[in-house]
Amino acid sequence: MAQVIVAGTQWGDEGKGKIIDLLAEFADVIVRFQGGSNAGHTLVVGGEKFIFHLIPSGILRKAKRCVISSGVVVDPDVLIEEIDSLKERGYLQDDSQLLLSEEAHVIFPYHKMIDMGRERIRSGGKIGTTGRGIGPAYEDKAARCGIRVIDLLQGDVFHRKLEENLANKNYYLTHVLQEEGFELEPLFQEYMGYKEKLQRYVTNTSLFLSQQIKEGNNILFEGAQGTLLDVDHGTFPFVTSSSTVAGNACAGSGIGPTQIDFVLGVTKAYTTRVGSGPFPTELSDEIGEMLRERGGEYGATTGRPRRCGWFDAVVVRHAVRLNGLSGVAITKLDTLTGLNTIKVCTAYQVGEDLINEFPASSEMAVRCEPIYEELQGWKEEISGAREISQLPRAAQRYLERIEELIQTPIHIISVGAQRHETIIRHNPLLT
Ligand code: IMP
């Protein structure tokens, strides 16, 4: 039995979807514990492309149970669309495969409108939000006025809470953001329709998970976004609104930290970021362009081109510490094939100072000049490699150097988009 957390070590989009899909074969339950439909996992299975925003990608494997736990903020419209699309493609034929926490908070159209309206009036320093209402929904949770899944199931309670919320939100929307407000009854009816479709999945997911652990089953906790987007430890304020680090897998799913056996960090072989904020190793030259094109670096949720740059060991070391990583999976190594030389950032220079830790201040982070080490590239196609020894020597050396710099073992290496295009040195679910 093993309980494993998978966490992103950079700014999200590290390729967690593929790693989770791969490990899901060895798990009984896969849990999504934070974020919402701002996330987007793209995976390619049997030549077919799937994009998930809310449902754990483990749903593609029959007999796996997938949980959307209390730490997630749920847009019912997106969730229903995902359920319908999966059913149409022959998946999720058994409804007991999907479980939705009764404690999860619900996203409403006013959350999205506030997200976008606020971004529009922000003077400079736009966050680059995906506009999915994630921040405003977490705000309501912290302000204790949010509406939860359990409220939807009780029509009268839901009606009262929605009325109270609308009084407040409509004032803010119309008077502060100069947007339109919402009418109570149509919104109430729309969400009662969602309730009809979703209630069969709603349960006490914390209780379900503790029973699964007692029964000796394997659980995989899938993080969304990445460590540098964490609301406490990321590049604040250019972050998302939830805690994205491994510790939140416990709080966000209602299990205790003593239950966790392994934390796997997912790290892209280079770095990308979508949205605004500091990114010390960003490349605005033809190499950055080549990484974007070869790596297909366009946001799964918004389609925005991702900013691309060299591997940053300062960032990943930060993530190793914050997540307590037991090991890492390196993804998209194949995207680097063909480069003559590859750079790796080992530290930053800020004025006269050399710094080895990611600064707390985003104002300082934008002034960080990366200090690079240059490694030899390789030209050989690597997608067929299934053992480290089958990789070109220069690729092996690149991985060895990353291991040295982040002081953490590399357990998995992804050399292509497909499930089988992977080198697995150690499977954390088979310990
Ligand atoms: P929000 O969470 O949609 O408000 O977005 C806040 C910041 O996090 C923006 O820079 C987004 O681009 C970024 N972000 C949110 N979700 C993801 C993700 O799944 N991958 C990468 N970036 C994300």
Side-chain angles (χ1 to χ4, degrees), residues 324-341:
L325 296 186
S326 323
V328 298
I330 297 280
T331 61
K332 293 196 154 184
L333 187 65
D334 52 307
T335 303
L336 297 178
T337 300
L339 290 167
N340 291 326
T341 53

Side-chain angles (χ1 to χ4, degrees), residues 110-111 114 140 145 165-174:
Y110 50 76
H111 290 128
I114 292 172
D140 281 1
C145 64
N165 268 280
L166 276 184
N168 197 298
K169 304 299 185 227
N170 279 346
Y171 183 86
Y172 184 67
L173 281 168
T174 53

Side-chain angles (χ1 to χ4, degrees), residues 14 17 24 58 93 320:
E14 295 93 351
Q93 301 301 307
V320 166

Side-chain angles (χ1 to χ4, degrees), residues 134-337:
I134 309 302
Y138 277 119
E139 277 173 40
D140 281 1
K141 176 175 178 169
R144 288 151 293 165
C145 64
I147 296 174
R148 307 196 296 174
V149 168
I150 189 75
D151 300 322
L152 281 192
L153 301 194
Q154 312 167 76
D156 51 339
V157 175
F158 173 48
H159 194 275
R160 173 175 54 79
K161 292 195 174 185
L162 187 61
E163 192 171 12
E164 284 166 10
N165 268 280
L166 276 184
N168 197 298
K169 304 299 185 227
N170 279 346
Y171 183 86
Y172 184 67
L173 281 168
T174 53
H175 287 72
V176 180
L177 299 178
Q178 322 293 329
E179 299 276 1
E180 299 271 309
F182 290 88
E183 278 180 49
L184 174 63
E185 291 309 325
L187 198 54
F188 175 73
Q189 290 308 331
E190 182 186 337
Y191 274 68
M192 289 312 277
Y194 295 150
K195 177 207 111 174
E196 284 308 312
K197 291 192 170 165
L198 292 179
Q199 62 185 354
R200 73 190 77 166
Y201 304 108
V202 178
T203 191
N204 179 338
T205 52
S206 159
L207 186 61
F208 169 79
L209 291 173
S210 83
Q211 279 159 351
Q212 290 292 311
I213 294 171
K214 277 192 197 127
E215 285 168 25
N217 288 331
N218 284 350
I219 306 180
L220 188 62
F221 296 88
E222 78 165 68
Q225 290 88 38
T227 303
L228 275 287
L229 289 173
D230 181 273
V231 68
D232 289 294
H233 309 290
T235 46
F236 190 89
F238 306 99
V239 292
T240 190
S241 305
S242 62
S243 172
T244 61
V245 292
N248 192 31
C250 297
S253 31
I255 65 146
T258 46
Q259 310 286 358
I260 303 300
D261 301 294
F262 196 98
V263 184
L264 180 73
V266 183
T267 300
K268 210 178 266 185
Y270 46 100
T271 315
T272 61
R273 165 162 215 175
V274 56
S276 332
F279 179 178
T281 63
E282 181 170 16
L283 291 167
S284 17
D285 57 8
E286 70 282 0
I287 296 181
E289 187 56 38
M290 169 263 181
L291 292 174
R292 183 159 37 251
E293 290 314 314
R294 288 200 56 175
E297 298 295 355
Y298 292 88
T301 300
T302 58
R304 290 180 287 181
R306 294 181 185 140
R307 301 155 65 193
C308 298
W310 295 119
F311 182 86
D312 188 337
V314 182
V315 162
V316 180
R317 277 200 301 263
H318 184 69
V320 166
R321 174 169 46 80
L322 288 164
N323 293 286
L325 296 186
S326 323
V328 298
I330 297 280
T331 61
K332 293 196 154 184
L333 187 65
D334 52 307
T335 303
L336 297 178
T337 300

Side-chain angles (χ1 to χ4, degrees), residues 20 23-25 27-32 56-59 61 64-68 97 209 218-222:
I20 289 156
L23 295 179
E25 180 182 349
D28 302 288
V29 182
I30 304 97
V31 186
R32 174 78 193 276
S57 52
I59 204 77
R61 296 184 180 271
K64 305 291 176 189
R65 315 289 294 277
C66 290
V67 174
I68 299 176
Q97 251 197 294
L209 291 173
N218 284 350
I219 306 180
L220 188 62
F221 296 88
E222 78 165 68

